[in-house]
Amino acid sequence: MLLKHTTPEIKERKALTINPAKTCQPIGAMYAALGVHGCLPHSHGSQGCYAYHRSTLTRHYKEPVIAATSAFTEGASVFGGQANLLQAIDNMFKVYEPEVIAVHTTCLSETIGDDIPQIVNKAGADGKIPEGKYVFHCNTPSYIGSHVTGYANMTKAMVDYYAQKNGHKTKAINLVPGFVEPSDMAEIKRLASVMGVETIMFPDTSKVLNGPLTGKYKMYPEGGVTIDQLKETGSSHGTIALGELAAGAAARALDAKCKVPCQVLNLPIGLQDTDIFVDTLRRMAGVNVPDAIDLERGQLIDAISDYSQYLYGKRVALVGDPDQMLALSRFLVALDMKPVYLVTGTPAGKKYIAALEEAVADVSDEVRIKVPGDMFLLHQWIKQEPVDLIIGNTYCKYIAKDEDIPLVRHGFPILDRMGHSYFSTFGYRGALRLLEKILGVLMDRKDRDSSDIDFELVL
Ligand code: SF4
């Protein structure tokens, strides 16, 4: 009983969060920055924040996550961090030779009120930014929002700093993935490439945080969007953003700045939302959907119809980032499952809650939604009326163990399993994988709970 103090009785809490279903803004900003080629993320704050952010990303991706820090001590905390950041920019370009530095703030530098653009301008004027190299920034005060907000802010900063009107139009489609796995980014690009669509993805952490072991350490792996590509996004034919909360702001900023029309879609998790993504890409790029994609879709439908009997009516608790939770809920409802408890720690607004309510409108059981909410409340709901399955990040394992409920790990962070960096849950193939994972834990449970008489060889 690791969470033995959780009681089924719910007391109203206004200011207290217990077991938050989110983490802090700079983690998302650092992750997005790693999706720029040759980029060294820089945390403008104290060493403790940066160590936490790096270690969380390293533990999730099992890759050595690079970043630097302004290393605030008492002096910088009182008088501001300008001197630290100027020195840091100089050191980074001299010692680590990145193509670009992406600066994000922390609670401390935000509270002081450091003016990052002014400091970066001074660094340029002082000759600390070499010719052809870049520094950009975003603000990530972590007492607002979550890691999703930080990711959205850094992605939008790529547009604000680099997207430009180039006096010409290309056929390329910009793809802005939300805070998703490198494997998901690779899957989106694969689908687009099978359809013959030229794309620019930003940020793009595929081949950065799921690269091969070659025996030779490469500080800046080959993946990531380049600054030249970011400049070209302003000439693209259109933009598809995946996930309103994490990707919508960048797509709209690009539309406003360079008149590149955008569509903001749900993450392509499951049949319905992958259909919408493929169809939108088809229409925007003016291409046909090839047979190879029809085949993948048909295989998914076949698997759903073969196994629906094991999914029907199963009650599910979902906890995670808002964009993931919305698409997952829609997929679960399409599988005839019942997502009954939905919790995200990221404040997401009324429009999001309305979309979530619409997604689960046909669920026959009572559905409880808390946005923003925490995992303590989710545990209390489960104690009041149990579920058959939990889907969420590694922190859910405590509830799963205490209540003896199967858990499918999905989202961020996953600290105790592998696979998420390599196997996507996006597209038709990803939906098959998700289905396999869900069925695997449910059927394992059925085997475990069967008496000797009911124990079946063929399921
Ligand atoms: S919440 Fe603020 S102080 Fe804490 S690690 Fe994040 S940025 Fe640093």
Side-chain angles (χ1 to χ4, degrees), residues 24 26 49 52-53 106-107 142:
C24 79
C49 300
Y52 163 54
H53 305 149
T106 62
C107 298
S142 205

Side-chain angles (χ1 to χ4, degrees), residues 388-458:
D388 301 297
L389 175 69
I390 301 172
I391 301 180
N393 64 35
T394 286
Y395 288 98
C396 294
K397 76 193 266 183
Y398 294 100
I399 302 174
K401 183 172 165 62
D402 275 6
E403 305 300 330
D404 194 19
I405 297 169
L407 167 64
V408 167
R409 286 162 178 78
H410 191 273
F412 182 89
I414 296 175
L415 310 171
D416 61 342
R417 293 291 187 276
M418 65 83 67
H420 44 279
S421 301
Y422 304 105
F423 307 115
S424 173
T425 54
F426 277 20
Y428 304 116
R429 282 187 181 176
L432 262 181
R433 176 170 186 257
L434 205 47
L435 193 59
E436 185 213 354
K437 286 180 74 156
I438 292 171
L439 281 164
V441 296
L442 291 177
M443 290 163 111
D444 281 349
R445 169 53 55 95
K446 186 173 166 51
D447 280 343
R448 196 200 76 176
D449 293 347
S450 295
S451 66
D452 288 355
I453 294 168
D454 299 329
F455 191 66
E456 296 285 356
L457 175 69
V458 181

Side-chain angles (χ1 to χ4, degrees), residues 56-366:
T56 303
L57 290 170
T58 299
R59 286 169 175 175
H60 177 86
Y61 295 107
K62 303 288 184 280
E63 295 288 333
V65 167
I66 55 162
T69 173
S70 292
F72 278 29
T73 53
E74 292 85 343
S77 304
V78 175
F79 299 113
Q82 171 164 307
N84 295 46
L85 185 51
L86 289 172
Q87 182 70 61
I89 289 172
D90 199 29
N91 288 347
M92 280 186 277
F93 278 124
K94 281 187 179 142
V95 180
Y96 299 112
E97 299 176 334
E99 294 299 317
V100 50
I101 293 169
V103 181
H104 60 264
T105 52
T106 62
C107 298
L108 180 53
S109 53
E110 282 292 332
T111 305
I112 297 166
D114 275 350
D115 183 348
I116 307 297
Q118 174 269 320
I119 300 173
V120 171
N121 283 342
K122 181 161 170 48
D126 292 353
K128 293 182 193 304
I129 304 175
E131 189 68 32
K133 306 268 178 162
Y134 302 90
V135 180
F136 72 108
H137 97 288
C138 74
N139 292 85
T140 48
S142 205
Y143 28 78
I144 306 167
S146 73
H147 56 291
V148 178
T149 324
Y151 179 95
N153 291 348
M154 186 56 88
T155 305
K156 180 174 174 289
M158 293 172 199
V159 172
D160 293 342
Y161 271 82
Y162 302 117
Q164 59 189 35
K165 286 183 180 168
N166 302 297
H168 63 269
K169 276 279 169 200
T170 69
K171 284 184 176 169
I173 305 295
N174 302 319
L175 296 174
V176 190
F179 192 142
V180 301
E181 299 295 333
S183 54
D184 297 329
M185 298 186 186
E187 179 60 14
I188 299 165
K189 286 193 296 184
R190 186 191 70 83
L191 282 170
S193 135
V194 172
M195 290 170 70
V197 181
E198 190 191 324
T199 57
I200 301 175
M201 175 174 280
F202 71 94
D204 180 3
T205 59
S206 61
K207 295 192 192 160
V208 177
L209 289 168
N210 62 354
L213 183 67
T214 60
K216 218 174 183 187
Y217 175 66
K218 236 180 161 182
M219 191 156 180
Y220 306 106
E222 66 172 272
V225 64
T226 63
I227 296 295
D228 285 345
Q229 286 175 312
L230 282 175
K231 289 177 182 170
E232 275 294 300
T233 56
S235 300
S236 293
H237 184 64
T239 302
I240 297 179
L242 299 171
E244 174 66 55
L245 273 291
R252 292 203 180 87
L254 188 56
D255 189 358
K257 188 177 181 186
C258 303
K259 302 279 170 288
V260 180
C262 70
Q263 298 250 7
V264 182
L265 310 178
N266 287 338
L267 295 179
I269 295 176
L271 182 65
Q272 241 177 318
D273 284 321
T274 302
D275 280 351
I276 293 170
F277 168 66
V278 169
D279 192 47
T280 307
L281 190 57
R282 173 191 71 78
R283 279 185 286 110
M284 202 179 260
V287 296
N288 292 320
V289 178
D291 291 347
I293 290 184
D294 279 344
L295 173 71
E296 291 174 20
R297 185 178 190 276
Q299 287 171 330
L300 173 62
I301 293 172
D302 185 46
I304 292 172
S305 72
D306 286 347
Y307 289 95
S308 60
Q309 58 183 311
Y310 300 103
L311 304 166
Y312 179 78
K314 291 280 187 279
R315 291 166 54 82
V316 188
L318 265 179
V319 56
D321 296 342
D323 293 332
Q324 270 83 349
M325 209 165 67
L326 178 58
L328 273 172
S329 303
R330 285 162 58 84
F331 185 37
L332 295 177
V333 170
L335 294 175
D336 277 338
M337 301 179 82
K338 295 176 178 173
V340 285
Y341 303 146
L342 306 169
V343 171
T344 178
T346 300
K350 286 184 186 153
K351 216 171 142 196
Y352 172 78
I353 295 172
L356 204 51
E357 284 171 347
E358 196 189 324
V360 295
D362 290 338
V363 175
S364 52
D365 293 12
E366 182 207 357

Side-chain angles (χ1 to χ4, degrees), residues 6-49:
T6 307
T7 56
E9 300 79 42
I10 295 171
K11 291 212 168 71
E12 203 182 320
R13 290 178 279 134
K14 281 201 179 129
L16 177 66
T17 297
I18 310 171
N19 275 346
K22 64 166 187 170
T23 182
C24 79
Q25 275 212 45
I27 289 184
M30 202 179 261
Y31 179 56
L34 289 163
V36 177
H37 181 69
C39 182
L40 183 55
H42 181 85
S43 168
H44 186 56
S46 64
Q47 283 158 301
C49 300

